[in-house]
């Protein structure tokens, strides 16, 4: 049966078959073994089953090094394009392990869906505020402790955000659990602390984004096909900046609940300093990654993946930018509209987290842990030299 949009299951079968074919060629070739965890893990397999495909696809960081090194890449008759094949399997893996399962067949994670969901969250929040809050309060100047809560009461802010975040966390946790089972049984007789230590190091250093040492492949400074660490640095900026924003929220929550100090806080307070650093870092990281995507050779990545990726970067950028704008203008009449815009974007981001690009983070951590467990199991069963 031809592969058409009307038969998505055929598309899934084609995607899996093509990725399996490419990986089997790689397993015979082994030229790229030094590049990343994908090849090191692949080497231990004689055949590549569906569970292996899910595992290997989520180990890939799409650094493109293997594509540019490949003697079997197009126009060779073998047409091996491993980064593209694995990116399509990854995208399917987000959909096929989404929670609740009812959503799986209907889920279409596109850039448009992410932007529409985020705009919808902003509009619903704004409409609710227009209906519930007097115009004078909404567009008035507020200052001092509790100023934000005069526009959006604390109970409403915490209640709505809490429900969306709890849903999001539950959906992500259950998706990751389904993905973990989807990778097949974990190896037995493993030292879990050692595997966890390796995984944490992998995550904190993003060492697989080093593409075998020289970095990711891209077009930089007008140079075609340069290898550099720039993508890794922008990923680092994004990762640690998101962590700073979470730290800021946690400190603010402690201030509020332990000491009764209500937001907004002074510019030189810990929550504001952490949040400002985090917001600036998110803007730099997302803008840098978006720029690299724009410049990159489009061949080693599937077009259907790129739209969702760009939209995710855009909404993260807007969440950070609106937060910093709120900080800068909180003493003016723009505070109310900016607060609603920022909260709406953040809610939109959280609502869409379990259904697309963000899943690459927890799925990759799970795949890295599985790879570390395999290495650990291998080193325990290997006879001494
Ligand atoms: S990507 Fe190409 S060169 Fe690298 S291992 Fe696979 S077939 Fe060999
Ligand atoms: S694109 Fe990079 S991370 Fe992905 S398989 Fe190739 S070398 Fe490994």
């Amino acid at each position: 049966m031809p592969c058409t949009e009307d038969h998505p299951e055929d598309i899934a079968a084609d995607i899996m078959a093509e990725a399996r074919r490419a990986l089997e060629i790689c397993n015979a070739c082994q030229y790229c073994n030094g590049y990343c965890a994908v090849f090191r893990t692949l080497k231990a397999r004689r055949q590549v089953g569906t569970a292996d495909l899910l595992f290997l696809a989520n180990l890939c960081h799409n650094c493109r090094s293997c594509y540019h090194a490949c003697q079997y890449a197009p126009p060779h008759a073998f047409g091996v394009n491993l980064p593209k094949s694995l990116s399509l399997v990854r995208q399917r893996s987000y959909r096929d392990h989404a929670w609740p399962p009812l959503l799986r067949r209907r889920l279409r994670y596109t850039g448009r869906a992410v932007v529409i969901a985020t705009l919808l969250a902003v509009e619903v929040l704004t409409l609710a505020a227009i209906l519930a809050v007097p115009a004078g309060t909404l567009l008035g100047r507020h200052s001092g402790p509790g100023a934000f809560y005069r526009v959006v009461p604390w109970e409403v802010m915490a209640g709505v955000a809490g429900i969306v975040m709890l849903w999001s966390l539950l959906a992500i946790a259950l998706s990751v659990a389904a993905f973990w089972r989807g990778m097949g049984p974990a190896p037995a007789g493993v030292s879990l602390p050692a595997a966890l230590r390796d995984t944490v190091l992998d995550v904190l250093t993003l060492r697989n984004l080093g593409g075998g040492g020289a970095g990711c492949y891209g077009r930089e400074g007008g140079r075609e096909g340069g290898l550099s660490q720039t993508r890794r640095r922008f990923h680092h900026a994004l990762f640690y900046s998101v962590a700073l924003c979470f730290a800021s929220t946690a400190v603010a929550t402690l201030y509020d609940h332990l000491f009764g100090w209500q937001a907004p806080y002074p510019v030189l307070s810990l929550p504001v300093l952490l949040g400002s650093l985090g917001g600036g870092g998110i803007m730099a990281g997302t803008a840098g990654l978006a720029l690299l995507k724009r410049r990159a050779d489009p061949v080693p990545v599937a077009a259907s993946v790129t739209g969702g990726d760009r939209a995710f970067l855009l909404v993260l950028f807007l969440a950070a930018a609106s937060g910093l704008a709120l900080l800068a203008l909180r003493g003016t009449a723009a505070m109310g509209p900016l607060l609603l815009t920022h909260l709406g974007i953040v809610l939109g981001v959280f609502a869409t987290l379990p259904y697309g690009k963000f899943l690459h983070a927890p799925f990759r951590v799970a795949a890295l842990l599985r790879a570390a467990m395999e290495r650990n199991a291998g080193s325990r069963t290997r006879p001494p030299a």
Side-chain angles (χ1 to χ4, degrees):
M1 192 179 287
C3 171
T4 71
E5 283 294 330
D6 298 332
H7 299 94
E9 296 320 312
D10 298 326
I11 297 175
D14 285 354
I15 287 170
M16 299 304 254
E18 173 53 25
R20 185 176 287 122
R21 182 188 76 90
L23 284 166
E24 282 171 357
I25 295 172
C26 291
N27 220 359
C29 164
Q30 303 212 359
Y31 179 75
C32 298
N33 278 2
Y35 279 148
C36 71
V38 172
F39 294 98
R40 292 191 288 278
T41 309
L42 176 64
K43 215 165 57 162
R45 285 159 168 76
R46 282 181 171 273
Q47 287 178 329
V48 182
T50 303
D52 302 314
L53 281 177
L54 288 176
F55 177 21
L56 294 168
N58 281 283
L59 268 184
C60 169
H61 285 264
N62 200 26
C63 77
R64 300 152 181 252
S65 297
C66 61
Y67 174 78
H68 288 282
C70 185
Q71 59 268 40
Y72 302 122
H76 190 280
F78 286 0
V80 173
N81 187 341
L82 194 59
K84 180 175 178 178
S85 298
L86 295 183
S87 71
L88 284 166
V89 175
R90 262 197 314 279
Q91 194 185 34
R92 292 293 307 192
S93 73
Y94 306 150
R95 185 185 128 162
D96 293 347
H97 298 91
W99 186 87
L102 204 66
L103 280 180
R104 289 176 189 166
R105 289 181 72 83
R106 291 181 178 77
L107 215 55
R108 295 283 180 277
Y109 185 82
T110 60
R112 198 178 302 163
V114 177
V115 173
I116 288 174
T118 308
L119 285 177
L120 207 63
V122 175
E123 279 174 21
V124 169
L125 208 66
T126 307
L127 196 64
I130 289 171
L131 292 175
V133 182
T137 307
L138 201 57
L139 299 173
R141 283 169 180 262
H142 305 277
S143 59
F148 294 149
Y149 306 135
R150 273 167 236 144
V151 178
V152 182
W154 183 88
E155 297 75 16
V156 176
M157 200 186 288
V160 174
I163 289 169
V164 173
M165 285 178 194
L166 279 179
W167 170 276
S168 188
L169 289 175
L170 180 71
I172 290 167
L174 292 172
S175 295
V176 174
F179 171 65
W180 183 263
R181 291 191 297 275
M183 286 191 290
V190 171
S191 161
L192 199 55
L196 281 170
R197 188 197 55 220
D198 280 1
T199 306
V200 169
L201 275 178
D202 278 340
V203 171
L204 293 182
T205 60
L206 296 175
R207 61 179 154 209
N208 283 292
L209 272 169
C216 290
Y217 224 91
R219 291 175 185 164
E220 290 177 28
R223 199 158 51 93
E224 285 285 323
L227 276 167
S228 91
Q229 302 287 346
T230 310
R231 184 163 170 258
R232 188 182 187 182
R233 289 190 192 112
F234 282 132
H235 260 97
H236 265 133
L238 188 51
F239 175 80
Y240 287 111
S241 300
V242 168
L244 284 175
C245 287
F246 275 109
S248 162
T249 309
V251 173
T253 308
L254 283 180
Y255 276 14
D256 196 317
H257 291 287
L258 277 188
F259 307 115
W261 302 339
Q262 288 195 324
Y265 300 109
V267 173
L268 291 180
S269 65
L270 193 55
V272 173
L273 290 174
L274 291 171
S276 306
L277 268 178
I282 289 177
M283 287 176 72
T286 49
L289 288 172
L291 197 68
L292 290 183
K293 269 189 199 303
R294 195 179 154 81
R295 282 191 192 156
D297 179 359
V299 177
V301 70
S304 62
V305 176
T306 312
D309 289 4
R310 283 192 180 144
F312 180 63
L313 291 174
L314 175 69
V315 292
L316 275 185
F317 180 90
L318 291 177
S322 58
L324 290 177
L326 178 61
L327 171 66
L329 300 174
R330 60 188 177 168
T332 72
M335 188 270 264
L338 277 173
L339 178 64
L340 293 171
T341 306
H342 179 60
L343 285 179
I345 294 173
V346 172
L347 287 179
V349 168
F350 269 94
T352 52
L353 282 186
Y355 306 111
K357 174 68 181 180
F358 173 78
L359 281 182
H360 93 283
F363 276 33
R364 188 153 295 153
V365 173
L368 286 168
L369 176 60
R370 185 61 71 92
M373 289 171 81
E374 283 197 1
R375 283 198 304 276
N376 188 280
S379 68
R380 285 175 165 239
T381 52
R382 206 174 292 133

